[in-house]
Amino acid sequence: MSASYPDRLLAGRPYPLGATSDGLGVNFAVFSANATRMDLCIFDPTGRKELKRLQLPECTDEVWHGYLPDAHAGLVYGFRAHGPYDPRNGHRFNPNKLLLDPYGKKMLGQIRWTDALFGYRMGHGRGDLSFDRRDSAPAMPKSVVADDVFNWGSSRSPETPWAETVIYEAHVRGVSAGRSDIRGNQRGTFAGLADPYFIEHIQKLGVTAIELLPVHAFSQDQFLIERGLRNYWGYSTLSYFAPEPAYMSSGGLDEMRVAIRRLHAAGIEVILDVVYNHTCEGNHLGPTLSWRGLDNASYYRLMPDDKRYYIDETGCGNTVNMSHPRVIQMVMDSLRYWATAYQVDGFRFDLGVTLGREPNGFDPGSGFFDAVRQDPLLSRLKLISEPWDVGPGGYQVGNHPPGFAEWNDKFRDGVRRFWRGEPGQLPDLGARLLGSGDLFNHRHRRPWASLNFLTSHDGFTLHDLVSYNEKHNEANGEEGRDGHSENLSNNWGAEGPTDDAGINETRGRVKRALLATMLFSHGTPMLLAGDEFGNTQGGNNNAYCQDNEISHLDWDTARSPEGRELTSFVAKLVQVRRNHPSLRSATFVIGDQEVYDGLIAVGWFNANGEWNHDGAWHDPENRTLALRRTTRDERGGLDVTMLLINGGADAVDFKMPDPQLQWKLVVDTAEPDADIYVSVDGPVSVQGRSVVLLSGLPLDAPFEDAPDESKDANAEQKHDQAHDQPNDQTNDQPDNQPADSPPTE
């Protein structure tokens, strides 16, 4: 079989990087500035037997390249890089180690942990300064030449405007791994994600985008395998171009494309959580799998005074060197690949601060941010950053450049503090309700830049947030040392499940108040998958290694009466947000300009219907607040809402401040099944730990019937797609604080 391959490669071309089939052969190109030779290794279709080893004949501008005639998609291959093994100077070349193609678009097999995967001799007295001569190929996954041809038909992105966006954070495996009503081999795969039951579920919720935890091929870390656990979340990247093989029930790449096409057809965008800040190769004692063996000194940030060691600003052992042009090229090529070959609609950048680090620290004008912002394709997608890392100056919420949204943990923490009953939280709550202008209202950014969330994959679920005071991570095998210790949670009288009806009623009420606060705040709301029906992780707030019922969505709970009721309530909140533009402003509310008959854009009131004065804002025991927002929609229609918040334990009567308006009840979180758009006369009673939303109109204006809750949740978005671009940065308002905003510390 090896005789079918030539003894030498043709010169080929240095671009594009990776393995590219032209129908007559395959061109191979791989970057290494410091290698002295690069070999292409060809394997049989199983990946078990190396059939041929051919030297890449040319190196142009530090790119090694060669062309293999008569090769086609499906060819299994890897590289071996020759060069100095000199860890003290940053070089770790070892041709005994088979290396994955950094641009490989498909991967065959999984890592089989053995000492041969390491470039040095494990247990040797000189540690990583020693040299290991064992062949790692039998234990390595292999790259596969991919064919990216796919019939997308008339499929296109929903292009939901940012101001209309509601995100649902989910895990490909977790969505369907626990479902018994689909085929076993499809559970936990993209086929399960594309199942009509799930798509219909999130459609009914009204979410417009699904944000998937990492789907890039990732490593099952050795320390987890040894403990009988698994890397569930996937934040341990092994390839930036290949999907995780375990997520493909058919083994073919098109399964992911079919899922995206079906989600697009349902009006749902797809956002990928991507991990370009570090790789699975770890610190100086980690394995040699790809980048380390190809050009360690280029791909990673090394300590300037001793290049044997890695700068670790990620907490994962290494930091990808985003100051190197070829590394930025790799990341940009990866992003464009997913945006074109898979038509994804956006990216959430894990530890986004790391990507913006230059030698002197975080820089919103870094090479990475500049490259993305000028890119004609990527700059139009939804871009979200996790705005922190563990390095110096690593907390940068609000400091990213225009075009990026940011996970706003100040929203998460401030709203949690208020609803668990902490004193003195009103000023912070007020700022969060108006899109966190104190953080984001500069450089003509928009409220959507504040990605508002209550919970995420990292931490408690919403149900656990109101059920546990302490984390319960015993199953992780780290004796409780992992995970956050301060969760700003409240179990309301019992740790974990309880039969106490009063405690359960309080928990349900607080959950609904939290959800209403998020969905009625300016900014982009993100819902954690399962929170809509009360999914629990049993108090585990760091379930990164739990590929089991702890992390998998419990669809039995979703189908229970309680689960159905909460899901219907969340869907109602999302629909109400869609119906009322004052709840999802596309711009920061500036100044006290009159919108209609004495009504300014934002008004803050106390329970007596009086303007909220400084004393009320700063009274630590005051837990009531009324927020009136007035705006006009794009057709000139008037929209007035009044949000009544009672964070105390007892009911409070709120007087309405505007005699020129009539009011109707829209949402009462204490009565989730109550009829909506019911006329309200006189003071409005808001139960303890509850939120009420009212809709107002002039006295002489007829009140329309309640909006049709059963209409296509995405109809308005589809109608407006031609007019609203998702990353529109136009904002003629001055860079100031929102009108009548609460005092900030």
Side-chain angles (χ1 to χ4, degrees):
M1 188 171 181
S2 62
S4 62
Y5 297 108
D7 292 329
R8 291 185 180 182
L9 297 173
L10 302 181
R13 297 181 178 182
Y15 186 85
L17 290 164
T20 306
S21 173
D22 62 7
L24 300 177
V26 176
N27 189 78
F28 296 90
V30 59
F31 160 73
S32 179
N34 295 293
T36 58
R37 169 180 163 180
M38 190 72 62
D39 293 341
L40 170 70
C41 300
I42 301 171
F43 291 82
D44 76 329
T46 69
R48 296 190 182 96
K49 183 179 180 181
E50 184 174 334
L51 302 178
K52 198 82 171 180
R53 191 175 301 190
L54 302 169
Q55 182 176 345
L56 294 180
E58 298 286 344
C59 186
T60 303
D61 296 333
E62 302 179 331
V63 174
W64 299 82
H65 53 95
Y67 181 84
L68 181 63
D70 300 321
H72 303 283
L75 182 75
V76 181
Y77 71 100
F79 294 118
R80 297 181 189 270
H82 299 254
Y85 187 83
D86 185 5
R88 287 196 173 95
N89 286 304
H91 303 305
R92 295 178 179 270
F93 294 98
N94 187 334
N96 301 291
K97 309 305 167 185
L98 186 76
L99 307 173
L100 285 171
D101 181 358
Y103 277 68
K105 296 180 175 66
K106 186 176 181 180
M107 200 175 78
L108 175 67
Q110 297 284 344
I111 294 173
R112 184 172 61 82
W113 286 104
T114 171
D115 290 354
L117 291 171
F118 296 80
Y120 62 95
R121 293 172 61 188
M122 297 286 285
H124 192 279
R126 298 183 68 233
D128 63 306
L129 298 179
S130 62
F131 188 80
D132 188 271
R133 300 184 182 278
R134 286 171 292 184
D135 184 5
S136 68
M140 278 289 293
K142 314 298 188 297
S143 297
V144 181
V145 179
D147 181 358
D148 285 324
V149 175
F150 179 74
N151 184 1
W152 287 97
S154 59
S155 177
R156 63 185 296 267
S157 169
E159 293 185 353
T160 307
W162 263 112
E164 306 283 344
T165 297
V166 178
I167 296 174
Y168 186 85
E169 190 197 29
H171 189 287
V172 171
R173 179 157 171 76
V175 160
S176 61
R179 287 185 55 188
S180 59
D181 57 329
I182 62 175
R183 294 183 198 171
N185 70 314
Q186 293 185 346
R187 297 172 195 166
T189 69
F190 276 101
L193 186 74
D195 182 77
Y197 175 88
F198 175 70
I199 292 180
E200 183 181 4
H201 173 80
I202 57 177
Q203 259 192 314
K204 287 181 176 179
L205 278 179
V207 299
T208 67
I210 184 168
E211 180 179 306
L212 298 175
L213 267 68
V215 302
H216 291 172
F218 56 87
S219 164
Q220 289 296 335
D221 302 288
Q222 185 177 19
F223 77 96
L224 291 176
I225 297 296
E226 291 173 349
R227 296 209 308 252
L229 300 170
R230 293 181 61 80
N231 178 0
Y232 176 67
W233 286 349
Y235 292 95
S236 193
T237 304
L238 184 56
S239 172
Y240 289 124
F241 290 80
E244 168 56 35
Y247 293 164
M248 306 295 180
S249 65
S250 64
L253 302 182
D254 287 351
E255 185 174 319
M256 180 176 174
R257 296 183 173 101
V258 168
I260 292 173
R261 183 171 176 178
R262 288 181 176 172
L263 287 162
H264 281 176
I268 299 165
E269 294 180 311
V270 178
I271 299 170
L272 300 186
D273 192 336
V274 288
V275 190
Y276 296 112
N277 58 82
H278 74 280
T279 77
C280 65
E281 291 186 310
N283 63 17
H284 63 290
L285 298 178
T288 296
L289 307 173
S290 181
W291 308 274
R292 172 175 283 140
L294 287 167
D295 194 347
N296 184 68
S298 295
Y299 279 110
Y300 294 114
R301 295 187 64 202
L302 306 178
M303 298 296 293
D305 55 343
D306 190 345
K307 294 182 179 180
R308 175 185 178 185
Y309 300 106
Y310 295 79
I311 294 173
D312 182 11
E313 290 161 331
T314 66
C316 299
N318 63 54
T319 303
V320 172
N321 183 15
M322 294 297 289
S323 297
H324 194 291
R326 287 293 187 184
V327 179
I328 290 182
Q329 179 188 4
M330 176 186 70
V331 173
M332 294 295 292
D333 288 347
S334 171
L335 292 170
R336 279 189 291 264
Y337 176 70
W338 293 101
T340 54
Y342 290 88
Q343 296 195 7
V344 303
D345 305 282
F347 301 94
R348 181 264 190 189
F349 296 97
D350 179 64
L351 300 186
V353 168
T354 303
L355 305 181
R357 283 190 180 275
E358 297 291 354
N360 293 325
F362 175 77
D363 181 359
S366 70
F368 168 73
F369 288 134
D370 287 349
V372 172
R373 293 177 65 203
Q374 65 77 43
D375 189 278
L377 170 62
L378 300 178
S379 62
R380 294 185 289 112
L381 302 183
K382 287 188 167 67
L383 306 172
I384 305 168
S385 177
E386 183 182 37
W388 49 75
D389 67 12
V390 301
Y395 187 77
Q396 296 291 337
V397 175
N399 294 330
H400 283 57
F404 282 79
E406 303 174 37
W407 274 28
N408 186 357
D409 67 327
K410 288 189 180 295
F411 181 94
R412 176 196 66 192
D413 294 349
V415 172
R416 286 185 180 190
R417 287 190 176 100
F418 177 82
W419 286 110
R420 82 165 180 172
E422 289 190 20
Q425 299 301 311
L426 282 188
D428 185 79
L429 178 65
R432 305 306 148 229
L433 289 169
L434 290 187
S436 297
D438 56 326
L439 301 172
F440 297 100
N441 189 20
H442 57 93
R443 300 187 68 183
H444 300 281
R445 299 178 78 181
R446 296 294 187 94
W448 58 255
S450 176
L451 201 296
N452 300 333
F453 66 108
L454 302 168
T455 58
S456 68
H457 68 275
D458 187 2
F460 279 153
T461 67
L462 181 63
H463 182 83
D464 291 354
L465 185 69
V466 299
S467 303
Y468 296 92
N469 284 346
E470 308 294 336
K471 62 185 179 183
H472 295 270
N473 299 353
E474 294 78 10
N476 295 356
E478 299 181 40
E479 298 179 349
R481 295 186 299 272
D482 65 306
H484 298 291
S485 295
E486 179 49 76
N487 297 282
L488 303 175
S489 61
N490 191 335
N491 67 19
W492 301 102
E495 188 73 355
T498 179
D499 294 328
D500 188 302
I503 292 175
N504 286 328
E505 195 278 334
T506 298
R507 289 176 176 177
R509 184 175 294 194
V510 174
K511 277 196 289 189
R512 294 189 295 272
L514 284 161
L515 289 163
T517 303
M518 179 178 71
L519 286 162
F520 295 163
S521 292
H522 294 172
T524 304
M526 184 184 79
L527 183 71
L528 173 65
D531 278 356
E532 74 273 19
F533 56 75
N535 194 64
T536 178
Q537 293 180 169
N540 192 319
N541 74 349
N542 188 35
Y544 76 103
C545 56
Q546 299 298 331
D547 186 2
N548 50 47
E549 66 277 0
I550 292 176
S551 291
H552 301 163
L553 295 187
D554 182 359
W555 291 102
D556 288 337
T557 296
R559 297 183 186 101
S560 69
E562 296 81 5
R564 291 179 184 273
E565 289 171 5
L566 185 56
T567 299
S568 296
F569 179 72
V570 174
K572 179 165 73 173
L573 296 179
V574 174
Q575 186 62 56
V576 166
R577 176 185 175 88
R578 192 182 314 283
N579 292 341
H580 292 278
S582 62
L583 303 178
R584 47 176 173 79
S585 177
T587 60
F588 285 107
V589 182
I590 308 296
D592 56 359
Q593 182 177 0
E594 181 177 311
V595 178
Y596 171 83
D597 191 20
L599 300 179
I600 60 175
V602 173
W604 301 96
F605 304 93
N606 60 26
N608 292 322
E610 304 163 338
W611 285 97
N612 221 40
H613 51 78
D614 284 349
W617 280 114
H618 291 292
D619 179 357
E621 299 308 319
N622 182 15
R623 291 179 172 81
T624 59
L625 186 65
L627 168 60
R628 187 193 65 211
R629 286 174 280 192
T630 307
T631 191
R632 291 191 180 276
D633 61 29
E634 59 185 24
R635 299 176 179 85
L638 183 67
D639 184 59
V640 185
T641 55
M642 181 73 81
L643 187 67
L644 308 178
I645 296 175
N646 179 12
D650 300 322
V652 174
D653 289 339
F654 283 77
K655 295 180 180 178
M656 295 297 100
D658 306 302
Q660 73 273 42
L661 296 179
Q662 56 177 317
W663 297 97
K664 289 199 174 183
L665 175 70
V666 183
V667 169
D668 183 350
T669 61
E671 300 289 342
D673 297 326
D675 292 335
I676 65 174
Y677 295 95
V678 176
S679 294
V680 173
D681 295 317
V684 177
S685 179
V686 181
Q687 299 302 306
R689 304 187 180 97
S690 298
V691 171
V692 166
L693 181 73
L694 305 174
S695 177
L697 273 182
L699 291 174
D700 57 352
F703 234 117
E704 297 181 0
D705 293 335
D708 183 3
E709 303 296 333
S710 64
K711 70 179 180 180
D712 177 8
N714 298 300
E716 289 183 7
Q717 294 175 33
K718 294 174 182 176
H719 175 81
D720 295 333
Q721 279 173 7
H723 307 288
D724 294 308
Q725 296 302 314
N727 267 359
D728 179 14
Q729 292 301 314
T730 303
N731 185 348
D732 295 328
Q733 301 290 351
D735 290 351
N736 293 317
Q737 286 291 103
D740 301 295
S741 60
T744 55
E745 298 302 328

